[in-house]
Amino acid sequence: MKVKTIINILIIAIISLNLTACEDNKSSNNTKEKEIKFTPSLPMPDVKEEYINKYFKLSQLSNAKKDPVPAMKIGYAYSEKLHDYEKALEWYKYADSMIALGENSYFACYALQKLKRYDEAISWCKKAIDLKWDKALFRIGDIYKELNDYDKAVFYYKQSFEKTKDKMSANNLGFIFSKKLNNYQKAEKWYKEAIKLNNYESYKNISSLYHEKLKNDIKASAYAIAVIDTKYTKASVLRVLQNDMKIPNDIIQKGYELQLNSDEFPIKYKGKLDLDE
């Protein structure tokens, strides 16, 4: 091999190594750029030593010094594992002092709702909504329901359903229209929206609506029977229909046949009722 050829090969190899080094440096710089740290304006809440690595990790506690997400997760642990909503709120406020996050604001709203500090809860929920955390629409609707402000509850539950298709929003709308606003047609409509999303509680609620308000015991029976062997046992459903609602067996049988043959019922019970036993 000629000396000139060898020199050319060496030059190409050196250039390749330099290019690789440049790419590595770029990758390292990009990684550094992605490591964003936040400076909290509130002091970090204290924790009990025995909670570390039991309810949250030591690494989360360390990272929470400069990152709102692990701080929020520690707050969530206090809320959902320890049911210490005051302490959870401390952590949510600490996380918020780094940067406002929709999810964190939502959790703060929930903690304040549990503490029955409703004005503060509403403020945090509205903050979450402004930050595009749509789950807060259901939460603020729930707060207004607890405050017996049903017009505002309806407003936010409707928004929640429109944006998230949340089945509990539809169910709660059915409840408000049935029990509080006495608009039974709207109650029926919203319970059916929840039923389309397989909300079992709405089957029970619409059954009560048909029996108590709309005086249709065939449909009351049908909706109750449809969810046998899901959330409810056959014995418990028949006890409600026969003993509590005092519906005759022949009407219960018609309800059974209705839910079995009608497209109105997304869920159907196909087993035997054994009404004569």
Side-chain angles (χ1 to χ4, degrees), residues 2 6 43 92 115 121 169 175 180 202 208 210-211 230 233:
K2 294 181 179 180
I6 294 171
Y92 297 144
L115 293 167
S169 294
F175 174 83
K180 304 300 180 181
S202 295
S208 296
Y210 279 122
H211 174 69
T230 56
T233 65

Side-chain angles (χ1 to χ4, degrees), residues 11 21 33 60 66 75 78 83 116 127 132-133 149 165 167 175 181 199 216 219 236 243 256 259 268 274-275:
I11 290 170
E33 287 173 6
Q60 286 179 313
K66 296 291 183 181
Y78 271 104
H83 306 294
K116 300 190 183 302
K127 183 174 182 175
K132 309 302 181 186
W133 197 260
D149 190 337
K165 294 300 177 188
K167 59 188 177 183
F175 174 83
L181 300 180
N199 184 277
N216 186 334
K219 280 202 168 184
S236 67
N243 300 342
Y256 169 77
Q259 60 89 35
K268 301 175 186 296
D274 301 317
L275 292 173

Side-chain angles (χ1 to χ4, degrees), residues 25-36:
N25 286 335
K26 284 181 182 178
S27 177
S28 176
N29 289 335
N30 287 338
T31 302
K32 287 177 182 177
E33 287 173 6
K34 290 177 182 177
E35 290 176 358
I36 300 171

Side-chain angles (χ1 to χ4, degrees), residues 17 21 66 69 75 131 135 170-171 194 219 246 249-250 254-255:
L17 286 170
K66 296 291 183 181
V69 174
L131 292 165
K135 286 183 179 180
N171 178 74
K219 280 202 168 184
K246 309 294 184 187
N249 282 351
D250 63 317
K254 288 179 181 178

Side-chain angles (χ1 to χ4, degrees), residues 184-236:
Y184 306 129
Q185 281 68 40
K186 285 189 177 180
E188 181 184 24
K189 172 201 165 186
W190 283 108
Y191 281 141
K192 285 185 176 181
E193 289 290 348
I195 283 166
K196 289 177 188 175
L197 298 169
N198 288 335
N199 184 277
Y200 297 144
E201 186 179 345
S202 295
Y203 281 85
K204 176 175 70 74
N205 291 340
I206 201 171
S207 175
S208 296
L209 175 69
Y210 279 122
H211 174 69
E212 295 170 7
K213 305 299 182 182
L214 300 178
K215 307 304 179 185
N216 186 334
D217 280 344
I218 293 177
K219 280 202 168 184
S221 301
Y223 275 99
I225 291 166
V227 286
I228 289 175
D229 288 346
T230 56
K231 186 177 179 181
Y232 309 100
T233 65
K234 181 171 72 173
S236 67

Side-chain angles (χ1 to χ4, degrees), residues 38-60:
F38 299 91
T39 302
S41 60
L42 293 176
M44 192 165 86
D46 61 330
V47 299
K48 291 183 178 179
E49 192 171 338
E50 60 264 31
Y51 289 170
I52 300 172
N53 291 326
K54 183 176 182 181
Y55 298 112
F56 43 82
K57 296 177 181 178
L58 178 61
S59 59
Q60 286 179 313

